[in-house]
Amino acid sequence: MAPSVPSKRVLPSKESGLFKELLNLYESRQLKKGQKTADQILKKFPEHGETLCMKGLILTHMGRREEGIELVKKGVRLDLTSHIAWHVFGLIQKGEKNYEEALKSYTQALRFDKENMNILRDAAHLQTQLRLFDGLVETRHTLLKLRPNLRQNWIGLAVAYHLNGSLKDAKQVLEHYESTLKNIPDYDVEHSEVLLYHIRLLEELGEYPKALGLLDVNAKSRAIIDRTAIMEFRARLLSKLGDHDEAENTWQALIEQNPDSYEYYKGFFSNRGIDLENVTGDARQKALQYLRDFSSQLPRAAAPRRLALDVADGDDFKTLAEPYLTSGLDKGIPSLFADIKALYRDVGKQRAIASIVEALRERLASQSSSPPSESESPTTYLWTLYFLAQHYSHTADHKHALTLLDEALEHTPTLPELLMYRARVLKRLGDPFGAARSMDEARVLDLQDRFLNTKCAKYRLRAGLEEEAQELFGLFTKKDASSPGADLEDMQSLLYLTEDADSHRRNGAFGLALKKFHAIQKVFNEIEDDQYDFHGYSLRRFTLNIYLDLIPWEDHLRSHASYIHSAISASQIYVQIHDDPAAASKASSSNNLTEAEKKAKKKAKKAAQKVQEDSKKATTQSTSTNEDKGLDLTPAKDDDPTGTKLLEHATALDRAWKLLSPLVSLAQENIDVQIAIYDVAVRRSKLLEAAKALRYAKSLDAEHPELHIRLIDFHKRVSSLPQVPPAPIGSVINAALAELLPEEVSLETFNSQYLQRHSTSGKAVLASANVLHKLGTPIAEVESAAFGALNPEVSLSIQTAVDILAFLQSIGSSRADEFRTTCNAKYELSTVFKLPSELAELRRVAFVVTEEDKTKQEEAS
Amino acid sequence: MSSSLHPQPRVSFASLTPNNLGTVRKLNSVLFPIKYSEKFYQDVLLPDTEEFCKLVYYNDIPVGTICCRLETTDGITKLYLMTMGVLAPYRSKGLGSQSLQQIITAATSNIKPKIDSVYLHVQLSNTSAKTFYERHGFKEIAVHENYYKKLVPHGAWILERRIGGTETVA
């Protein structure tokens, strides 16, 4: 307590009583009464800071946020030394997820009330969320000193030390804690968790004998009740201690309990010095023998059989693969190909698998004429055709895959998997419309299958059929959502957000694309925020082991593929807007709105109306009820439905950098990330960052075509600087340049040497043509370089051909259409090189029109 | 040994719903030379025919259908078998018999309304189909001339099997 209470805070005894009542009413969330009580005090003492804060807090809970926050701020100003005022301010900031500022307010509050348990606990949670572990240890220490009789305060300190990397201190706290325990009830889950945590701590400290001792004693006394965890710890610790025979018994027992856990097999083999991911030499036969034994002991387990396929080679592989494949096809396991696809990294195994399944197909095909009673099930033949179609498409023989699928569909036209795979093959052949149609054919076979529905909607998005895709999504989303997309966004569907953003980007609707990419970022922010509750919950419920796995997982959250994709794609759009502000204004000017954008505007209007009505309803209700809306910030209404604000040129690069910056440390090994970082950094004149990204990219793949373009780009930008950057930077940049590009050859020679080294790669051809253009080469030469991609010896994917076409169009080449028509003929089944007029016709055939629809249409017209 | 290598095929039946009607349409389009009207697809979804309209699954893949409708004249209810078909690769595996038996069992236990008999048309040339139904207790009761407008021969046998009577399946 502060030594003297400032006179303006002191209330006469009546009001002082009311204030205490106010605090109680808030605690029990009697908001309405609380508000009245506060008003009663304020009538006489309108400048009483703490009352103003409490009233503000109550109003915020009632949904009158702005008004409430105003009052809180006023209250804090009027009484800067009140812990209540600062505490309330901190609560509001925490509700806004503004953890840094909230912690500052809590720290202020603690200055005036050093021993307030509630504030200390909240501060600890904020420190954990912000990863301020030094401060956390201090806070937990204070809490423990204040209340050493609370179990969770001990554990809280141990976990704080652990997070701060002081494992030894954590161990000491635990030992101390355990020595004070008395009368632990039997089968106490919380105590069991603490003991397991203690053993985990000892294991991490490398004190294996002690860990094993503690485990054995407490397993025997039944203080640890998680039997599986006991065995897992035991097996691991015995392996680490080198007691291989005893360890093997334990691993074996674990495998018998769960024969499809790959982790257990990994542990079993590593105990015998065999690394299952990398089996070589003598180990191979040994490992195979073990796996054969497991397979015969555990006839229902798939794992040992599948693992044997990884380990075996040569004839062993063939002998093992044949029954594995045959039984999978017999049982009709749809995912069989996905299951064995990883084996294709080994060309020998790929060939062996193909010949086994081809032989089976021939045998089954000849049987189909023999008496049906003797032949095998016709479904085996069907799944064999399905498997082979996947095999051939995987090995780029898409046409053969289509023939096989047609044969299978002739045999059984009602298996959705066949149509779905047909859609996939058509997609690979560059026909998104045919693909969407085939997926639709699969969908109408079973309208209640959400997987089919979502796949079909995704394929429609891939074909640019934005609105038709939304219709399908809407079949499975909440009916009262403002739109199917809004519901899917609420549900954090990364698949939807990613595909929709990509689709908008392909359609040139950059604003909408950016909106969805930022929505993905928001999902990750939410997931990060969600951990907040666990800082309290996990200690209260003693779920320590999973909590200590959660914290590092959250720290790596944004290394998720969806985040990386959204950050890179959005940054590419931002860079494009930065380089060519016209691109943004084209995309945002209202006369040029794409259909989707117009629709989005309309929908957003409707949704906004609905939100307004809802909030009106809510406010009229909230004045009359006690309903607690909590302190969390509710999403504001969307005042930018088409993302026009995101297209704003001046701040585009800052937004891009904000998306990319977490990836600087989280996705270092991803060359696309490094390239994106370079693109944004160099345009923000952050030359050191740019150089660092290029050096990193070079260490990952020195010959990457995108990197090749950036090397030249960097050289050009640096040499065109009006003056050498100031002292330390200038020399670092020059050193980086010298490391990235050979000084003795000209850029032109560097480029032509690059092309010579990679003359058969379509992407390299595009990169070198791009560089020629950057170097100011006459357009005719650039064009002929780009056309080099059409040489028969160049391997050119459809996507790269599309990129080359876009490049030719971007430099205003008169030969762009020639390139388009050539590609159109070269990729005969693709539709991506058609003219817009031809596409209109193709859009129409992308859907299955049932008789029912037809009659409906006729009736309508 | 061979039975463990090739497990017994699973045969099962599913009721028709608006959601799996697409599968019925697909099967009908490859099984029968006739295009069925929208009325047909509406009728098979009626609640009181649920037990008499089924998709036939073989190893969890839909490979056949059987569809009937209820006809009531003068207070007597008959079950008319409109379509029954199984995809070519799955024939001669007893699927037709199991489907028909399924329908007959359902008709026998149907109380509201009580079903008097099951009947159907078979094209005059199709003797194997006629034999099939006769094996399941059906008897020829009449010949319907010019039943098929677009198919040759035009005529059809009318086969009938009484329900709840004394007849039993051989």
Side-chain angles (χ1 to χ4, degrees):
Chain A
M1 277 287 158
S4 66
V5 179
S7 57
K8 60 181 174 179
R9 194 186 302 152
V10 184
L11 292 169
S13 68
K14 183 191 167 200
E15 277 74 17
S16 170
L18 283 173
F19 187 74
K20 274 194 196 120
E21 194 188 327
L22 168 60
L23 293 179
N24 284 334
L25 287 170
Y26 172 73
E27 284 306 321
S28 55
R29 294 292 185 275
Q30 300 189 51
L31 302 177
K32 192 84 187 142
K33 272 192 194 160
Q35 189 194 349
K36 273 191 190 144
T37 312
D39 284 336
Q40 237 175 309
I41 302 172
L42 289 172
K43 215 152 81 192
K44 276 199 187 159
F45 301 94
E47 302 269 273
H48 192 250
E50 291 182 340
T51 309
L52 281 168
C53 282
M54 286 310 295
K55 186 183 172 188
L57 183 64
I58 286 173
L59 289 182
T60 313
H61 270 280
M62 291 166 84
R64 291 155 70 179
R65 173 169 283 274
E66 276 173 36
E67 207 182 327
I69 291 175
E70 250 344 282
L71 284 179
V72 172
K73 282 184 183 160
K74 193 174 157 198
V76 173
R77 269 198 306 275
L78 284 168
D79 194 350
L80 285 169
T81 59
S82 154
H83 73 91
I84 293 185
W86 283 110
H87 190 184
V88 168
F89 197 34
L91 281 172
I92 299 272
Q93 286 161 325
K94 199 180 79 187
E96 286 166 353
K97 314 268 189 258
N98 192 348
Y99 301 119
E100 280 98 351
E101 290 304 314
L103 183 58
K104 281 184 200 160
S105 298
Y106 274 97
T107 314
Q108 283 293 332
L110 283 172
R111 274 181 58 198
F112 307 114
D113 185 4
K114 290 190 173 49
E115 305 197 337
N116 186 313
M117 299 290 289
N118 278 332
I119 302 181
L120 282 166
R121 243 193 316 263
D122 273 2
H125 299 165
L126 286 166
Q127 283 163 330
T128 318
Q129 183 78 6
L130 293 164
R131 307 290 190 262
L132 299 170
F133 295 136
D134 280 335
L136 176 67
V137 169
E138 235 174 87
T139 311
R140 291 291 186 200
H141 236 275
T142 315
L143 277 165
L144 179 60
K145 263 193 287 188
L146 290 172
R147 288 277 172 82
N149 55 335
L150 267 187
R151 289 213 284 175
Q152 55 162 293
N153 284 349
W154 289 88
I155 302 304
L157 181 61
V159 168
Y161 274 130
H162 192 151
L163 290 172
N164 203 26
S166 343
L167 298 187
K168 284 212 169 111
D169 292 323
K171 188 181 82 167
Q172 269 190 353
V173 173
L174 278 187
E175 282 168 356
H176 202 100
Y177 161 73
E178 282 162 29
S179 71
T180 62
L181 285 179
K182 279 175 213 135
N183 305 332
I184 307 151
D186 287 344
Y187 301 107
D188 185 77
V189 182
E190 295 175 356
H191 184 56
S192 166
E193 268 288 307
V194 173
L195 289 170
L196 282 174
Y197 169 53
H198 194 163
I199 294 159
R200 170 186 175 144
L201 200 55
L202 291 171
E203 187 184 352
E204 281 183 34
L205 281 164
E207 300 180 18
Y208 305 136
K210 245 179 127 179
L212 188 63
L214 189 61
L215 178 73
D216 281 348
V217 167
N218 287 294
K220 219 173 157 201
S221 72
R222 307 230 164 197
I224 302 175
I225 51 182
D226 183 341
R227 306 314 289 176
T228 310
I230 291 172
M231 279 169 77
E232 286 176 356
F233 268 106
R234 193 147 205 284
R236 222 169 41 231
L237 287 169
L238 286 167
S239 289
K240 285 182 177 170
L241 276 168
D243 188 349
H244 297 301
D245 292 330
E246 190 55 28
E248 182 169 303
N249 287 339
T250 317
W251 285 117
Q252 170 99 26
L254 277 168
I255 290 173
E256 280 162 19
Q257 254 181 38
N258 179 2
D260 281 316
S261 162
Y262 281 67
E263 276 308 303
Y264 294 165
Y265 290 95
K266 229 167 95 183
F268 178 93
F269 283 102
S270 107
N271 179 55
R272 283 291 165 211
I274 299 169
D275 175 9
L276 263 190
E277 326 249 290
N278 187 23
V279 184
T280 46
D282 296 343
R284 199 186 301 278
Q285 280 312 319
K286 229 167 97 192
L288 266 184
Q289 195 45 52
Y290 277 122
L291 287 167
R292 281 201 194 95
D293 292 346
F294 278 125
S295 299
S296 56
Q297 284 162 25
L298 308 159
R300 298 181 66 84
R305 292 174 174 75
R306 178 62 186 80
L307 279 170
L309 297 185
D310 285 340
V311 172
D313 65 353
D315 286 338
D316 280 339
F317 177 79
K318 280 181 209 159
T319 327
L320 290 165
E322 181 158 5
Y324 190 86
L325 293 165
T326 319
S327 121
L329 295 167
D330 249 349
K331 289 184 194 147
I333 297 172
S335 58
L336 184 63
F337 185 77
D339 171 27
I340 58 96
K341 199 168 63 180
L343 298 169
Y344 277 31
R345 277 194 292 265
D346 181 330
V347 185
K349 291 187 182 180
Q350 179 187 321
R351 278 200 212 106
I353 289 170
S355 76
I356 290 169
V357 185
E358 271 293 0
L360 182 64
R361 185 188 65 83
E362 273 170 42
R363 190 162 60 80
L364 292 172
S366 68
Q367 259 187 12
S368 63
S369 50
S370 67
S373 53
E374 287 164 32
S375 65
E376 289 166 64
S377 164
T379 48
T380 307
Y381 181 56
L382 188 66
W383 290 113
T384 305
L385 292 176
Y386 177 60
F387 183 96
L388 284 171
Q390 294 173 88
H391 164 79
Y392 285 110
S393 184
H394 189 77
T395 51
D397 191 352
H398 302 303
K399 283 189 193 160
H400 193 169
L402 280 184
T403 318
L404 286 163
L405 286 171
D406 284 343
E407 192 189 331
L409 282 163
E410 180 90 9
H411 182 279
T412 305
T414 47
L415 183 62
E417 276 83 351
L418 299 174
L419 291 159
M420 288 168 68
Y421 203 73
R422 192 164 171 273
R424 201 152 167 192
V425 176
L426 288 173
K427 182 186 79 179
R428 287 174 178 165
L429 282 165
D431 178 10
F433 300 102
R437 187 195 161 83
S438 194
M439 206 51 99
D440 207 19
E441 284 178 43
R443 184 185 68 88
V444 297
L445 290 178
D446 189 356
L447 295 174
Q448 67 189 356
D449 188 324
R450 188 172 190 172
F451 179 72
L452 286 174
N453 193 74
T454 305
K455 274 269 176 194
C456 185
K458 171 177 153 181
Y459 270 58
R460 286 184 180 184
L461 285 178
R462 291 282 174 95
L465 303 164
E466 178 65 37
E467 204 197 330
E468 293 85 346
Q470 300 292 338
E471 269 170 37
L472 288 191
F473 282 127
L475 296 175
F476 281 85
T477 52
K478 267 196 229 139
K479 295 295 168 244
D480 55 354
S482 58
S483 71
D487 184 39
L488 289 166
E489 200 174 317
D490 277 354
M491 295 290 110
Q492 306 184 324
S493 164
L494 293 174
L495 176 130
Y496 162 73
L497 291 170
T498 304
E499 292 294 339
D500 201 46
D502 289 346
S503 164
H504 284 310
R505 186 183 179 193
R506 280 192 298 270
N507 288 345
F510 288 163
L512 287 173
L514 287 172
K515 263 193 87 81
K516 289 292 194 294
F517 284 133
H518 280 281
I520 292 174
Q521 188 202 21
K522 221 176 82 201
V523 169
F524 282 88
N525 290 345
E526 285 165 6
I527 297 175
E528 193 175 35
D529 287 335
D530 286 344
Q531 69 176 301
Y532 188 91
D533 296 338
F534 290 98
H535 303 322
Y537 176 88
S538 297
L539 287 187
R540 242 180 12 255
R541 310 304 300 270
F542 293 82
T543 53
L544 307 170
N545 293 296
I546 200 79
Y547 176 68
L548 285 168
D549 293 338
L550 168 78
I551 297 296
W553 181 84
E554 292 278 0
D555 289 340
H556 290 94
L557 185 61
R558 289 181 180 78
S559 62
H560 189 279
S562 290
Y563 184 85
I564 292 180
H565 173 80
S566 72
I568 292 179
S569 304
S571 79
Q572 285 167 346
I573 297 178
Y574 283 131
V575 165
Q576 204 177 332
I577 294 171
H578 173 83
D579 290 354
D580 177 17
S585 57
K586 232 194 297 171
S588 69
S589 77
S590 53
N591 344 338
N592 260 329
L593 281 186
T594 65
E595 255 181 69
E597 282 172 312
K598 282 184 205 155
K599 292 258 161 54
K601 262 197 165 166
K602 247 194 245 165
K603 271 192 194 146
K605 230 181 175 177
K606 257 195 212 162
Q609 262 172 358
K610 209 181 153 198
V611 169
Q612 257 182 352
E613 279 161 27
D614 285 354
S615 64
K616 247 191 231 162
K617 254 185 249 162
T619 43
T620 48
Q621 271 171 9
S622 67
T623 48
S624 59
T625 66
N626 251 330
E627 192 188 353
D628 183 7
K629 299 215 180 311
L631 286 176
D632 283 1
L633 201 55
T634 40
K637 89 172 196 283
D638 189 358
D639 54 359
D640 184 22
T642 54
T644 320
K645 284 187 186 159
L646 295 172
L647 295 172
E648 200 198 313
H649 169 245
T651 49
L653 290 179
D654 294 338
R655 282 193 294 280
W657 185 246
K658 224 178 144 193
L659 290 172
L660 284 175
S661 55
L663 299 180
V664 172
S665 58
L666 288 180
Q668 276 184 344
E669 308 302 314
N670 185 323
I671 193 165
D672 298 324
V673 167
Q674 296 298 345
I675 301 275
I677 288 174
Y678 166 80
D679 282 344
V680 174
V682 82
R683 284 167 178 78
R684 296 175 85 222
S685 306
K686 308 277 185 202
L687 295 181
L688 288 176
E689 246 157 18
K692 200 175 134 205
L694 287 188
R695 273 153 81 174
Y696 221 105
K698 197 172 176 186
S699 75
L700 293 171
D701 178 4
E703 299 290 303
H704 196 281
E706 293 297 321
L707 173 63
H708 176 67
I709 299 174
R710 267 53 170 204
L711 291 176
I712 307 282
D713 181 71
F714 192 51
H715 185 278
K716 279 197 66 192
R717 280 177 195 267
V718 171
S719 53
S720 69
L721 287 175
Q723 61 196 53
V724 183
I729 301 175
S731 55
V732 175
I733 298 297
N734 283 333
L737 262 185
E739 191 191 312
L740 291 166
L741 281 162
E743 274 175 278
E744 60 278 9
V745 294
S746 69
L747 296 181
E748 285 78 3
T749 318
F750 180 72
N751 189 37
S752 61
Q753 283 173 346
Y754 177 78
L755 181 60
Q756 269 168 21
R757 280 200 304 277
H758 304 285
S759 60
T760 58
S761 151
K763 281 186 181 159
V765 171
L766 171 59
S768 70
N770 199 318
V771 166
L772 280 180
H773 177 64
K774 274 191 195 302
L775 295 174
T777 318
I779 195 162
E781 265 179 65
V782 179
E783 283 166 342
S784 81
F787 270 73
L790 295 172
N791 286 341
E793 69 271 16
V794 176
S795 72
L796 181 65
S797 71
I798 290 180
Q799 187 51 51
T800 309
V802 169
D803 292 342
I804 294 176
L805 177 58
F807 167 70
L808 287 171
Q809 284 163 343
S810 75
I811 63 168
S813 163
S814 57
R815 294 181 67 193
D817 204 54
E818 179 191 340
F819 189 84
R820 184 189 64 77
T821 44
T822 316
C823 285
N824 193 33
K826 183 179 161 93
Y827 303 101
E828 44 184 324
L829 287 171
S830 87
T831 61
V832 287
F833 301 104
K834 304 273 183 223
L835 288 171
S837 55
E838 297 169 303
L839 287 182
E841 181 56 34
L842 288 165
R843 281 176 76 107
R844 226 169 297 154
V845 299
F847 316 102
V848 173
V849 181
T850 60
E851 294 300 316
E852 201 181 353
D853 297 335
K854 268 190 212 159
T855 30
K856 267 188 207 156
Q857 275 163 12
E858 278 160 23
E859 279 164 12
S861 64
Chain B
M1 189 64 202
S2 77
S3 65
S4 73
L5 262 178
H6 303 294
Q8 276 293 308
R10 295 178 297 279
V11 177
S12 54
F13 299 89
S15 299
L16 303 190
T17 69
N19 289 325
N20 62 23
L21 212 53
T23 299
V24 181
R25 288 176 193 276
K26 176 65 91 182
L27 284 169
N28 283 357
S29 75
V30 297
L31 286 173
F32 309 118
I34 300 168
K35 226 183 95 183
Y36 289 89
S37 66
E38 278 315 299
K39 176 94 173 49
F40 174 90
Y41 292 106
Q42 283 162 21
D43 287 350
V44 295
L45 293 179
L46 293 174
D48 49 352
T49 51
E50 188 187 335
E51 290 310 311
F52 312 114
C53 298
K54 296 283 178 190
L55 270 172
V56 187
Y57 287 78
Y58 183 86
N59 284 344
D60 302 324
I61 301 172
V63 299
T65 65
I66 181 160
C67 293
C68 308
R69 70 169 176 247
L70 288 167
E71 294 176 347
T72 306
T73 36
D74 306 330
I76 292 173
T77 302
K78 293 184 172 187
L79 191 65
Y80 176 60
L81 181 59
M82 298 189 284
T83 60
M84 180 170 92
V86 172
L87 291 172
Y90 304 87
R91 286 177 198 156
S92 310
K93 295 185 182 303
L95 290 179
S97 298
Q98 285 188 57
S99 308
L100 193 58
Q101 206 48 55
Q102 173 91 6
I103 296 303
I104 290 169
T105 312
T108 313
S109 56
N110 209 64
I111 300 165
K112 259 187 180 172
K114 194 144 178 53
I115 292 169
D116 175 74
S117 58
V118 188
Y119 80 105
L120 59 117
H121 287 92
V122 172
Q123 197 177 6
L124 282 186
S125 56
N126 195 350
T127 48
S128 62
K130 189 175 181 233
T131 323
F132 169 78
Y133 287 108
E134 282 168 350
R135 266 211 320 273
H136 288 87
F138 284 80
K139 293 212 171 69
E140 180 189 334
I141 55 166
V143 171
H144 193 315
E145 300 293 345
N146 284 321
Y147 179 72
Y148 297 103
K149 305 282 179 292
K150 289 175 189 159
L151 303 178
V152 178
H154 296 298
W157 288 297
I158 299 174
L159 301 174
E160 190 184 59
R161 183 194 193 281
R162 299 193 60 79
I163 297 291
T166 50
E167 284 157 302
T168 48
V169 186

